[in-house]
Amino acid sequence: MTEQKDDYKDTLFLPTTEFPMRAGLTEKEPKILDQWWQQGNLYKTLIERTADLDQFILHWGPPFANGHLHMGHALTYVIKDTVIRSQFMLGKQAPSVTGWDCHGLPIEWKVEEEYRKNGKDKDADVLQFRKDCRAYAEKWKKTQAQEMKRLGIVADWDNPYVTMDHQSEADIASEALRFVEKRLVYRALRPVMWSVPERTALAEAEIEYKEHKSTTIYVGFNVVEPKHAALENAMIVIWTTTPWTIPANRMIAAHDDIEYGVYKVSAYEEEAKYKTAEGKTIVIAKALADSVKASFGVTEWTLVETLKGSDIVGSTCHHPLHNEDPYYNFDVPVLHGEFVTTDTGTGFVHCAPSHGKDDFILGQQNGIHPEDTVLDDGSYHQNVGLFGGKVIFDDNGKSGDANGAVISALFHAGHLLAKGSLRHEYPHSWRSGAPVIFRATPQWYIELDQSGLRQTAMSEIDKVEWFPEKSINRIKAMVDNRPDWCISRQRVWGVPIAIFYNKASGEILNDPEVHQRIRDIFSQEGADAWYGRDPQDFLGDAYTADDYEQVRDVIDVWFESGSTHAFVCEKRDDLSWPADLYLEGSDQHRGWFQSSLLQSCGTRGQAPYRQVATNGFVLDKDGRKMSKSLGNTVDPMKLVDQYGADIVRLWVLGQEYSSDIRISDEAIKLHVDSYRRFRNTIRYLLGALEGYSASERVDLVKDYDQLPTLEKWILHRINAVNEVVKEKVSRYSFHEAYQAIHDFCNMDLSSVYFDIRKDRLYCDRPDLFDRRATRTVMEVIYDYLTTWLAPYIPFTMEETWGYKPAQVLSDHSVSSVHYRTYNDTVAEWVNDGLIEQWKRIKDIRSVITGALEVERKEGRIRSSLEAHPVLYLGQDDVALTEKLDIDWADMAITSQCTIDTSAAPNGAFTIDTVKDVAVVVNGAKGQKCQRSWKILPTVGDDPDYPDLSPRDADAVRYYRQPNLV
């Protein structure tokens, strides 16, 4: 009978934990959300625990309640939630109040589509239509709230703000009335971007630019009152991409400093379609002469005269349809326009004040006012000569017959000189997808300049901190160059511009008592009262309703969202004003950031925020913008169902999000790998701390000088990473904090600390100081790491919190990891001198491990424990080794290591970048310890355990006969 060999497993510490390696996020996250966060009132408890702390207010921008969340939502919401969670971790109270914008065209458009399908007219019963819009918005508000929760968003879900609540509608109307009371609101006929399918004016923020094919024409205007003799009987030539605007032409713009040529046209190419100018004299910019000549198909012309623009400005032309219909029997002056260039066209610009911003401004400067030539439905008024009823764009956004009719009329009049087409970026409504027209309509505006509102806003921009810093240039340019704020929309679903104006004088009724009645009624009944009540109810006894026009336009939805600071941050008891931070996509410099700034500056004289941060857009893997038409959209909730919310959050937070970011399977899988790194690091720590108790803890401050060098180094690194994390998250640079945490886990822990300390953790007696120090440091690592990662992967960190050792640091007694805060710097762990020295230690170690890798590849060793490296060092490195008490066998995870100060032999392993270090690897001498597997000459020195090293024999004796120790 042979004696059974002792495997000593009962004397080894083998890390074990029930924390599973497999994440199973898709199953676990909903349970954590429901059972721990919602039933456990995570948000309420967070607020209660931080009641005495300074507040940090992130004001959530209101998304439209009109569909499932898309990837842009997921990106922004995860960032916002991480701001909230990290601010709690930084020791602030960070209320999280989400909200929804429930009015506006996106919702009205969807409900109206259903009405059209069912043959219903929304105007037949406005109150019913508004009720249906309300129900539609409510449905999607609830849906989006559930999807936001699933992403791990922590918030006061029981008390969000909603713009369609009665009090919210009253507050929005009230904010508009504050502008009226300051006499900043006026009504004017001006060109606005108009959506024919949606029958409303649009703001710049509601526009997207897409490729559009436009018909281009060159048109000749006969000069009838020339300023210079060379212009006698000449035609000034314009070029336009909107032939339909020719009936509204009232001016031609030239530039005083441009050089123009007067050309006599004598011959065309045989195949030229239009030979209108043959034998005639035309005027164009000389810089564009070649392109015009080619477009006309002219083969011969003669330069008669060269003129400056100032020689032409002041001339008068006839409209090209002057002799075709009495409607066009007026003079067309040539005016100086600063906006005229020689980039394209002819150097002259046809100006229709009813259909262009520059045209309108130039007209205003010269007493030429716009006319209302185009109806809401995109057709000409019947009084427009030759073209009454012709359609520019139809209800589907398709081109109508207007362009063709105008071109035909110009041809028959003898003024169409050439025709072509151009593909270019053209404004479209981002909701209907239809191209817009510039159209003069009477609208309500907020005045920006005479009141100094623009200047106040520009001044406040400089007081705000912008992330990224360069984004200040974007908001400045947009505020500086924008026109007065058009706040009226010709829609039904929204908060009305609740004002009256005198039918006879057009003057706005600016009576505080009337305004207060409006506010009071709206507070009780909501904005529906404006459509359901008798106007006299608002006017009271002092005025007669028959004398006043009740404005039925609704207010720009950007004014609504821009007002949320007033009835959310300013009015709620759990918030404060101004907000510390606004955070949205970069497009909101022309949207919410700007409307909030102007609204607040107009009513309160300052910005509603102290900081503004922006994120970019989500693009597909090829860098294209996502769109349903391209079929490249990604559903964030499907990603959550496939991978888990924590993976989606890592994808967001692991990138520099202020720029556009791409999403693909490869990008997600990259962050799956990072997630595994974090999870496995936590799992290893939990296993290493199995059975850990407070009695084992070493005082890492009082006993710091006794700690081994490796523990001192890792404590310094913990301090350093902790400061990086706190600094970066406080600046919303989450990807930099993420990278610091990832590198710490990968390079400091996995590759160095855990690797080197396995032997001590597994094999040393548990009562030894150095082994206790190792476990105490691992407790500290767990403590810091779970806190750092809690805002990033909140579900997983909550899960791991349930597996933490029973007796650990004092505040580990809290029931949720999210109640914790970042640790303060421990001054006693700061050891800059050691860090500088450690760089050399790591370099020397890299030479040893490099040499071992060669031996492994060559098949001379299988494990590093079979090796005995000889380390050739200079005297300075030997002194450093002795000073830091470095055991190179431990550092290299070999059984033995010898230092030699003589010259290294030829063939010794070296690394060019590590000077004065060489290694020769020999085989370890001695017997293999059957417990630690180290090969040592001392194996067998203990007669009771002939197959163990003395260290391992002592440990076995401790475990098996603890009373003898």
Side-chain angles (χ1 to χ4, degrees):
M1 182 175 177
T2 59
E3 184 179 349
Q4 187 174 359
K5 194 171 183 179
D6 194 338
D7 62 9
Y8 301 110
K9 283 185 178 179
D10 62 317
T11 70
L12 290 170
F13 176 81
L14 299 177
T16 59
T17 178
E18 294 181 0
F19 183 68
M21 181 182 296
R22 182 179 177 276
L25 294 177
T26 57
E27 295 84 23
K28 290 175 184 173
E29 287 178 342
K31 293 179 181 177
I32 292 172
L33 176 62
D34 179 56
Q35 298 172 12
W36 296 9
W37 293 354
Q38 293 183 185
Q39 294 183 29
N41 289 319
L42 175 68
Y43 177 77
K44 180 181 178 182
T45 307
L46 277 169
I47 294 298
E48 290 173 348
R49 290 174 62 91
T50 55
D52 296 330
L53 302 178
D54 292 338
Q55 277 195 329
F56 177 92
I57 305 298
L58 164 68
H59 180 36
W60 283 77
F64 283 120
N66 70 324
H68 291 287
L69 300 186
H70 53 66
M71 283 309 304
H73 289 131
L75 174 71
T76 304
Y77 296 165
V78 166
I79 297 168
K80 289 178 181 177
D81 183 66
T82 309
V83 170
I84 294 293
R85 291 178 180 274
S86 59
Q87 288 295 325
F88 275 117
M89 292 282 181
L90 285 165
K92 301 283 186 67
Q93 185 189 67
S96 180
V97 177
T98 58
W100 277 270
D101 199 335
C102 299
H103 295 129
L105 194 51
I107 293 160
E108 182 169 354
W109 185 247
K110 289 294 184 181
V111 177
E112 196 170 349
E113 283 181 341
E114 290 300 314
Y115 267 50
R116 285 196 293 268
K117 287 180 185 177
N118 297 319
K120 297 168 66 176
D121 181 5
K122 71 173 186 179
D123 295 322
D125 188 342
V126 169
L127 289 176
Q128 180 60 48
F129 182 78
R130 286 175 61 87
K131 182 179 179 181
D132 292 339
C133 289
R134 189 179 298 277
Y136 179 89
E138 180 63 27
K139 179 190 77 170
W140 284 112
K141 177 184 78 73
K142 291 179 179 178
T143 298
Q144 289 185 2
Q146 291 305 313
E147 292 172 342
M148 291 169 72
K149 291 176 186 178
R150 183 62 188 87
L151 282 168
I153 310 301
V154 62
D156 186 358
W157 294 112
D158 294 331
N159 299 288
Y161 72 91
V162 181
T163 60
M164 66 181 179
D165 288 347
H166 288 174
Q167 189 56 52
S168 296
E169 291 182 334
D171 289 332
I172 293 165
S174 178
E175 289 298 311
L177 290 173
R178 293 178 73 160
F179 280 92
V180 172
E181 289 159 1
K182 291 191 172 190
R183 303 190 182 281
L184 297 178
V185 176
Y186 68 93
R187 189 171 186 254
L189 183 71
R190 288 184 175 180
V192 295
M193 285 184 286
W194 183 269
S195 170
V196 172
E198 295 153 315
R199 300 288 199 275
T200 188
L202 298 178
E204 182 68 30
E206 298 166 302
I207 294 296
E208 62 180 354
Y209 287 83
K210 299 192 296 187
E211 186 178 271
H212 179 74
K213 184 179 179 181
S214 293
T215 299
T216 62
I217 56 173
Y218 290 87
V219 181
F221 285 67
N222 290 336
V223 180
V224 294
E225 294 181 13
K227 185 178 180 182
H228 191 282
L231 299 174
E232 192 79 39
N233 297 319
M235 281 196 299
I236 288 176
V237 181
I238 65 91
W239 175 84
T240 182
T241 61
T242 53
W244 63 268
T245 62
I246 292 293
N249 173 274
R250 296 296 181 271
M251 305 168 287
I252 296 172
H255 196 289
D256 286 343
D257 299 329
I258 290 178
E259 197 171 66
Y260 293 89
V262 181
Y263 296 87
K264 182 68 176 284
V265 179
S266 54
Y268 278 86
E269 298 171 354
E270 185 175 341
E271 61 272 20
K273 187 172 182 180
Y274 304 100
K275 300 181 180 180
T276 316
E278 190 168 12
K280 297 181 180 179
T281 303
I282 65 172
V283 188
I284 57 175
K286 291 184 73 175
L288 293 163
D290 289 343
S291 65
V292 172
K293 189 177 183 182
S295 296
F296 283 18
V298 169
T299 56
E300 293 183 25
W301 66 13
T302 303
L303 178 62
V304 176
E305 187 79 54
T306 296
L307 302 174
K308 295 287 283 185
S310 55
D311 297 324
I312 303 172
V313 169
S315 301
T316 302
C317 300
H318 273 164
H319 191 282
L321 299 176
H322 182 83
N323 295 323
E324 304 301 308
D325 189 283
Y327 181 84
Y328 303 102
N329 290 344
F330 52 81
D331 292 337
V332 177
V334 182
L335 307 172
H336 168 72
E338 281 295 325
F339 54 84
V340 180
T341 69
T342 56
D343 294 340
T344 189
T346 67
F348 292 101
V349 176
H350 132 70
C351 295
S354 302
H355 302 295
K357 176 184 174 182
D358 290 333
D359 312 42
F360 171 79
I361 294 172
L362 185 62
Q364 291 293 98
Q365 292 169 347
N366 291 275
I368 301 173
H369 303 293
E371 298 180 19
D372 194 359
T373 56
V374 177
L375 296 168
D376 292 1
D377 63 1
S379 67
Y380 289 113
H381 278 283
Q382 288 298 330
N383 67 338
V384 175
L386 304 176
F387 309 113
K390 298 295 183 184
V391 174
I392 300 158
F393 290 118
D394 64 20
D395 285 344
N396 296 313
K398 304 297 183 184
S399 293
D401 54 0
N403 266 355
V406 171
I407 292 170
S408 178
L410 289 169
F411 175 74
H412 287 104
H415 288 275
L416 179 66
L417 305 182
K419 175 173 168 285
S421 64
L422 174 71
R423 289 193 174 275
H424 61 141
E425 293 292 298
Y426 188 84
H428 290 66
S429 166
W430 67 263
R431 297 183 186 96
S432 68
V436 303
I437 60 175
F438 288 85
R439 169 180 176 250
T441 63
Q443 301 288 340
W444 293 95
Y445 294 88
I446 291 177
E447 190 278 321
L448 299 182
D449 291 306
Q450 293 181 12
S451 62
L453 175 51
R454 189 193 308 274
Q455 186 57 44
T456 299
M458 294 294 288
S459 176
E460 285 297 299
I461 288 172
D462 287 325
K463 300 175 184 177
V464 174
E465 190 172 12
W466 299 87
F467 300 91
E469 187 176 347
K470 63 182 180 181
S471 64
I472 189 174
N473 299 323
R474 182 177 173 87
I475 187 73
K476 273 191 167 182
M478 289 189 166
V479 172
D480 193 33
N481 296 318
R482 68 161 295 150
D484 284 354
W485 188 355
C486 177
I487 60 169
S488 49
R489 298 292 181 270
Q490 290 65 51
R491 302 302 291 177
V492 172
W493 176 232
V495 176
I497 302 175
I499 57 177
F500 296 89
Y501 64 92
N502 189 280
K503 291 179 180 179
S505 67
E507 185 177 349
I508 297 173
L509 177 60
N510 194 351
D511 187 323
E513 292 186 7
V514 173
H515 292 172
Q516 191 57 49
R517 271 193 293 274
I518 293 169
R519 291 178 173 113
D520 292 342
I521 292 173
F522 276 28
S523 293
Q524 294 297 316
E525 304 173 21
D528 284 356
W530 193 250
Y531 303 91
R533 274 183 173 256
D534 188 320
Q536 201 68 54
D537 293 347
F538 302 103
L539 290 168
D541 298 332
Y543 306 96
T544 301
D546 289 344
D547 296 336
Y548 288 88
E549 193 72 43
Q550 182 183 17
V551 175
R552 292 291 184 130
D553 291 350
V554 297
I555 201 161
D556 175 18
V557 75
W558 292 107
F559 185 94
E560 284 199 27
S561 60
S563 301
T564 55
H565 69 93
F567 61 89
V568 179
C569 298
E570 193 173 69
K571 289 186 71 173
R572 286 181 63 127
D573 293 337
D574 54 341
L575 302 178
S576 58
W577 189 95
D580 291 286
L581 177 68
Y582 275 35
L583 192 158
E584 291 291 338
S586 56
D587 58 332
Q588 296 308 316
H589 290 101
R590 65 174 183 167
W592 189 53
F593 298 153
Q594 186 181 156
S595 66
S596 299
L597 176 70
L598 292 174
Q599 202 285 329
S600 184
C601 287
T603 55
R604 289 152 180 82
Q606 70 177 87
Y609 39 66
R610 297 186 177 97
Q611 297 176 327
V612 173
T614 57
N615 58 263
F617 296 101
V618 180
L619 309 177
D620 71 8
K621 64 179 181 179
D622 299 317
R624 299 177 302 174
K625 184 179 178 181
M626 289 188 177
S627 73
K628 291 180 180 178
S629 61
L630 291 176
N632 64 343
T633 58
V634 176
D635 183 345
M637 304 320 296
K638 287 184 178 179
L639 287 180
V640 170
D641 289 341
Q642 182 178 357
Y643 294 103
D646 275 357
I647 301 298
V648 175
R649 292 176 69 98
L650 282 187
W651 168 79
V652 170
L653 301 167
Q655 310 184 64
E656 207 290 279
Y657 61 77
S658 67
S659 301
D660 294 344
I661 59 178
R662 301 186 185 190
I663 189 165
S664 63
D665 290 338
E666 293 75 17
I668 292 292
K669 288 173 182 176
L670 177 68
H671 293 284
V672 169
D673 292 339
S674 296
Y675 175 84
R676 288 197 186 108
R677 168 69 64 189
F678 293 139
R679 187 176 185 90
N680 289 338
T681 301
I682 294 291
R683 188 170 186 273
Y684 181 82
L685 287 166
L686 288 171
L689 291 169
E690 177 68 18
Y692 181 79
S693 67
S695 62
E696 187 180 342
R697 185 178 296 125
V698 169
D699 190 323
L700 297 177
V701 173
K702 290 182 179 179
D703 298 330
Y704 179 81
D705 291 340
Q706 300 177 49
L707 297 176
T709 298
L710 187 58
E711 273 63 35
K712 290 180 179 178
W713 169 72
I714 201 68
L715 288 174
H716 180 98
R717 288 292 300 133
I718 291 169
N719 249 351
V721 175
N722 190 53
E723 289 308 302
V724 169
V725 169
K726 290 196 293 185
E727 193 270 332
K728 296 303 180 184
V729 301
S730 70
R731 306 291 293 172
Y732 322 121
S733 186
F734 297 115
H735 69 287
E736 291 187 278
Y738 171 103
Q739 194 61 53
I741 301 167
H742 182 273
D743 290 348
F744 177 73
C745 290
N746 191 37
M747 296 189 294
D748 292 344
L749 297 183
S750 181
S751 298
V752 179
Y753 189 69
F754 290 169
D755 207 25
I756 293 172
R757 283 296 180 245
K758 279 182 180 177
D759 179 70
R760 175 167 293 167
L761 183 66
Y762 295 2
C763 299
D764 274 10
R765 277 174 45 168
D767 63 328
L768 298 180
F769 177 85
D770 286 357
R771 204 266 188 175
R772 289 170 51 220
T774 295
R775 291 246 285 178
T776 305
V777 167
M778 287 186 170
E779 175 197 16
V780 170
I781 296 170
Y782 175 84
D783 175 56
Y784 279 74
L785 191 57
T786 51
T787 310
W788 295 339
L789 288 174
Y792 286 78
I793 43 177
F795 289 104
T796 301
M797 290 304 99
E798 196 73 286
E799 178 193 4
T800 188
W801 203 247
Y803 292 89
K804 67 184 182 297
Q807 298 183 49
V808 287
L809 298 177
S810 58
D811 62 349
H812 281 214
S813 60
V814 298
S815 58
S816 171
V817 68
H818 302 294
Y819 299 148
R820 305 210 54 234
T821 57
Y822 296 122
N823 293 284
D824 294 330
T825 297
V826 182
E828 290 80 2
W829 298 351
V830 176
N831 198 331
D832 294 326
L834 173 61
I835 292 304
E836 288 302 311
Q837 296 165 339
W838 190 261
K839 290 178 182 177
R840 183 61 178 174
I841 297 298
K842 287 180 72 176
D843 286 345
I844 296 171
R845 183 176 187 260
S846 70
V847 181
I848 304 174
T849 56
L852 292 172
E853 186 59 28
V854 171
E855 297 300 304
R856 191 179 284 108
K857 284 183 178 179
E858 294 294 327
R860 289 188 284 270
I861 62 172
R862 290 173 297 176
S863 162
S864 62
L865 290 178
E866 297 175 6
H868 178 170
V870 178
L871 180 58
Y872 292 89
L873 298 177
Q875 289 298 332
D876 289 344
D877 288 330
V878 172
L880 180 62
T881 297
E882 292 173 352
K883 178 181 179 181
L884 300 182
D885 194 22
I886 299 296
D887 183 329
W888 285 111
D890 277 352
M891 290 291 292
I893 315 176
T894 58
S895 293
Q896 301 149 41
C897 185
T898 301
I899 294 176
D900 193 325
T901 57
S902 62
N906 291 334
F909 182 86
T910 60
I911 295 177
D912 291 343
T913 57
V914 183
K915 302 300 182 184
D916 303 322
V917 180
V919 174
V920 173
V921 178
N922 299 319
K925 302 298 183 183
Q927 300 298 312
K928 182 176 181 180
C929 174
Q930 295 303 308
R931 185 169 178 269
S932 67
W933 296 355
K934 288 185 177 181
I935 299 171
L936 299 167
T938 56
V939 171
D941 283 2
D942 191 312
D944 293 335
Y945 297 98
D947 55 350
L948 300 180
S949 70
R951 185 276 305 260
D952 289 273
D954 182 52
V956 170
R957 189 173 288 111
Y958 172 88
Y959 277 108
R960 292 183 174 173
Q961 302 180 64
N963 59 308
L964 299 178
V965 179

